[in-house]
Amino acid sequence: MKQNVKRRKRRRPLTSGRVLRLSRIAVSLLLFTAMVMMLVLLEGKVASALGWVTRIQLFPLALAGAATGIALWIGVTLLFGRIYCSSICPMGVLQDIFIRLGRLTRKRRFRRSFRYETARNKTRYAMLVVVALSAILGLSLLPSLFDPYSAFGRIGSELILPAVSWLRGNPVFVASLFAAAIAAATLLAVAVISFRKGRLICNTVCPVGSTLGIFSRWSLFHFDIDTDLCVNCGLCARVCKASCINLLDHVVDGSRCVNCFDCMDICDANALRYTTRRKKLSIPMMQPVKNKTATTTVESSAPMKIDRRKFLATGLIVAAAPAVAAAEKGVKRIKALDRNSKPLTPSRHVAPPGRRSMADFLEKCTGCGLCVARCPGKVLRPSSNEFGWMNALHPVMDFDRSYCRYNCTRCTEVCPTGALTPLTAEEKHIFIIGHAHVEPANCIGCGLCVERCPRKAIGLAPAPAGSGSRTRLIATVHTDNCIGCGACEYICPASPDKAIVVNGIS
């Protein structure tokens, strides 16, 4: 009986701050779960019904030119603050999960508590300008790396999806080791920084967070500290994952606050309020004075130590990758010449269907990996240097592993930025993404490409004079009917080099 009484006494009252915090957690977990389910349940109708989750993300809305959506989020931020960062952004929720994992017990929460830090505005806005200029100039690598939605999409498609497939006992498929390495590095960086510094990424690196911070500084509803009720216990600053509560001045930095409501929930004095008013001191003498013993941020702003050996080793591996790839291509070319076979490489790599133009596709795509994850044929993979290094991580057709299904339009349906416009099956049948090209010296005349072509664009004809010692049949392409699906290149059994390749179009 006594134990039940003690437990009842320990229960915290259901204050407005607790209600707001629990509501925020429920909404954020619901949307986070919907995002993960959309990546995992590839074939289900549930996944298709959850497509709206990607279409409310801010950066894809900006690239798609959705002025109404952008204006809506700016209006919400001007009214309520950075609600997007606390509840909608999947990367923000992922950071909260890592923060919570690092503070599961009361002892660990106390040891790993946060504290106020001055804003890193120079780094913050410099990153915003660089990413914005890169997006404007069509150099999409930096926007792809730092956009929170795209970064989480790669983590989902390259790490979570293979892990779920392994747990289900299904074959594990990794679309690209290059993209998987970037996703793993991103996940590790988010985990470490969140564990140690809370929402530092949101307030220093993330371009979306920096943009919303400009508007949230003047939001109508904001957090205000009632200095007549505040007892300077410091609990609010300890739980503030944005490190934006300055108890020396009793001010909350609205540009960095992510509206998690943790401070309101922890405050026993009810001194923190989410309101439209500004509370002034009724007793000015209670204003705290800065002194030498006050906590400073000198230590917190110290540069992070970097292991030089690991840094140099990583740099050497990255620098050597192009040389290794070039050497492999050179060896393959030598072997092909020894066997009187000509190596084939596409003059231009093939992008997915549904794009208006190559320039528009490269400008709007963020490399989120959603189309890669949802492709049933697994022909799409994140690019490395196929479209140039500054456009890495964009989806590219890899006809060595599969081909584009004739009736499939899934990649065009899930794209949240408008880089791929939705197509019907009939439109997909005539949408040209490339043209097949045959190398007569490599063709063995098996006719498999003729049987596999859904458009009947390939036939067999006698080899041209001088192409061999005996008369033989080789494949020929009728370009007018070819749409570049890659079925012919995928099925071609010629060795060591295939006899047919699909060249992309601009």
Side-chain angles (χ1 to χ4, degrees):
M1 186 70 180
K2 292 181 178 180
Q3 292 180 353
N4 292 334
V5 172
K6 288 182 179 179
R7 288 179 181 175
R8 289 177 183 176
K9 288 182 179 179
R10 290 177 183 174
R11 289 179 182 176
R12 301 172 61 186
L14 196 63
T15 60
S16 60
R18 188 164 181 77
V19 171
L20 289 172
R21 177 175 175 268
L22 293 177
S23 301
R24 189 268 305 173
I25 293 175
V27 172
S28 60
L29 288 179
L30 180 64
L31 293 177
F32 185 81
T33 304
M35 186 75 181
V36 174
M37 288 179 63
M38 186 184 59
L39 291 168
V40 174
L41 302 177
L42 301 181
E43 302 296 337
K45 294 181 180 179
V46 178
S48 301
L50 294 175
W52 60 270
V53 179
T54 64
R55 291 179 173 83
I56 61 174
Q57 304 298 324
L58 190 57
F59 198 79
L61 284 173
L63 290 181
T68 304
I70 297 172
L72 179 62
W73 275 122
I74 292 177
V76 170
T77 306
L78 286 172
L79 284 175
F80 304 107
R82 290 169 60 177
I83 299 294
Y84 175 89
C85 298
S86 64
S87 303
I88 310 300
C89 177
M91 186 60 75
V93 181
L94 183 63
Q95 292 176 73
D96 287 346
I97 292 174
F98 285 123
I99 293 170
R100 184 62 179 170
L101 290 176
R103 295 161 177 81
L104 287 176
T105 64
R106 184 183 181 126
K107 184 177 180 181
R108 293 172 71 182
R109 281 199 297 270
F110 178 77
R111 189 191 313 143
R112 302 185 182 279
S113 58
F114 300 109
R115 59 180 176 178
Y116 173 75
E117 296 183 6
T118 55
R120 297 172 172 84
N121 287 331
K122 290 184 179 179
T123 304
R124 180 183 187 182
Y125 295 119
M127 286 294 301
L128 176 60
V129 170
V130 170
V131 173
L133 286 177
S134 299
I136 293 172
L137 296 175
L139 306 176
S140 58
L141 178 59
L142 289 180
S144 298
L145 291 175
F146 294 109
D147 168 37
Y149 160 73
S150 301
F152 181 81
R154 281 189 296 274
I155 292 173
S157 61
E158 302 297 333
L159 300 180
I160 298 178
L161 181 57
V164 172
S165 299
W166 178 74
L167 291 174
R168 289 179 174 177
N170 299 329
V172 177
F173 174 78
V174 178
S176 168
L177 293 177
F178 174 70
I182 291 180
T186 303
L187 182 62
L188 179 62
V190 170
V192 172
I193 296 175
S194 302
F195 188 80
R196 299 185 61 184
K197 293 291 184 179
R199 286 291 195 104
L200 178 65
I201 293 177
C202 293
N203 289 323
T204 305
V205 177
C206 178
V208 176
S210 299
T211 302
L212 294 179
I214 297 173
F215 299 99
S216 65
R217 186 189 300 272
W218 313 107
S219 62
L220 180 63
F221 283 87
H222 56 273
F223 289 90
D224 188 65
I225 301 177
D226 190 334
T227 50
D228 293 330
L229 298 177
C230 180
V231 296
N232 287 329
C233 64
L235 287 177
C236 57
R238 287 182 180 180
V239 300
C240 179
K241 61 190 72 174
S243 301
C244 64
I245 300 179
N246 184 358
L247 288 179
L248 293 176
D249 296 328
H250 287 83
V251 172
V252 179
D253 186 354
S255 68
R256 289 187 291 158
C257 178
V258 294
N259 289 46
C260 64
F261 301 104
D262 290 351
C263 55
M264 284 185 65
D265 184 29
I266 202 68
C267 183
D268 295 328
N270 198 27
L272 261 162
R273 298 176 181 176
Y274 185 58
T275 179
T276 60
R277 299 181 180 181
R278 301 281 181 183
K279 182 70 170 64
K280 295 182 179 180
L281 276 172
S282 59
I283 308 177
M285 293 300 292
M286 291 297 293
Q287 176 70 29
V289 179
K290 296 181 182 179
N291 52 60
K292 295 182 180 180
T293 62
T295 303
T296 61
T297 60
V298 176
E299 295 181 0
S300 64
S301 60
M304 186 180 295
K305 294 182 180 180
I306 300 177
D307 190 328
R308 288 190 298 172
R309 292 182 179 179
K310 292 182 179 180
F311 177 78
L312 291 175
T314 304
L316 288 174
I317 292 173
V318 174
V324 173
E328 291 179 354
K329 289 183 179 180
V331 172
K332 183 177 180 181
R333 183 177 182 278
I334 292 172
K335 290 181 179 179
L337 293 177
D338 290 341
R339 301 187 184 186
N340 296 322
S341 175
K342 296 182 180 180
L344 279 182
T345 55
S347 59
R348 183 182 286 109
H349 291 275
V350 184
R355 53 188 174 83
R356 295 181 179 88
S357 66
M358 200 60 169
D360 183 77
F361 166 71
L362 295 177
E363 180 181 352
K364 291 184 177 180
C365 177
T366 64
C368 66
L370 187 57
C371 58
V372 176
R374 299 296 300 277
C375 178
K378 303 302 180 185
V379 65
L380 287 175
R381 64 168 176 82
S383 64
S384 53
N385 193 30
E386 285 80 3
F387 302 124
W389 284 110
M390 293 309 297
N391 293 311
L393 302 176
H394 287 55
V396 62
M397 295 281 186
D398 189 346
F399 297 129
D400 286 333
R401 66 173 68 182
S402 187
Y403 63 97
C404 185
R405 301 299 190 265
Y406 190 55
N407 294 315
C408 177
T409 59
R410 192 166 297 175
C411 61
T412 70
E413 296 168 357
V414 300
C415 181
T417 65
L420 304 178
T421 57
L423 298 176
T424 63
E426 292 74 16
E427 292 173 335
K428 168 71 183 302
H429 292 168
I430 59 175
F431 195 95
I432 300 174
I433 57 177
H435 292 297
H437 168 72
V438 176
E439 175 53 54
N442 299 355
C443 185
I444 60 177
C446 63
L448 288 177
C449 55
V450 179
E451 298 175 2
R452 183 58 65 94
C453 180
R455 298 277 300 172
K456 305 302 179 183
I458 302 178
L460 292 177
S467 61
S469 57
R470 58 186 178 84
T471 304
R472 58 191 181 93
L473 297 177
I474 62 170
T476 58
V477 179
H478 304 288
T479 307
D480 294 340
N481 292 335
C482 179
I483 60 173
C485 68
C488 53
E489 181 178 346
Y490 172 69
I491 200 64
C492 180
S495 178
D497 294 290
K498 292 190 174 185
I500 194 165
V501 68
V502 178
N503 297 317
I505 59 174
S506 58

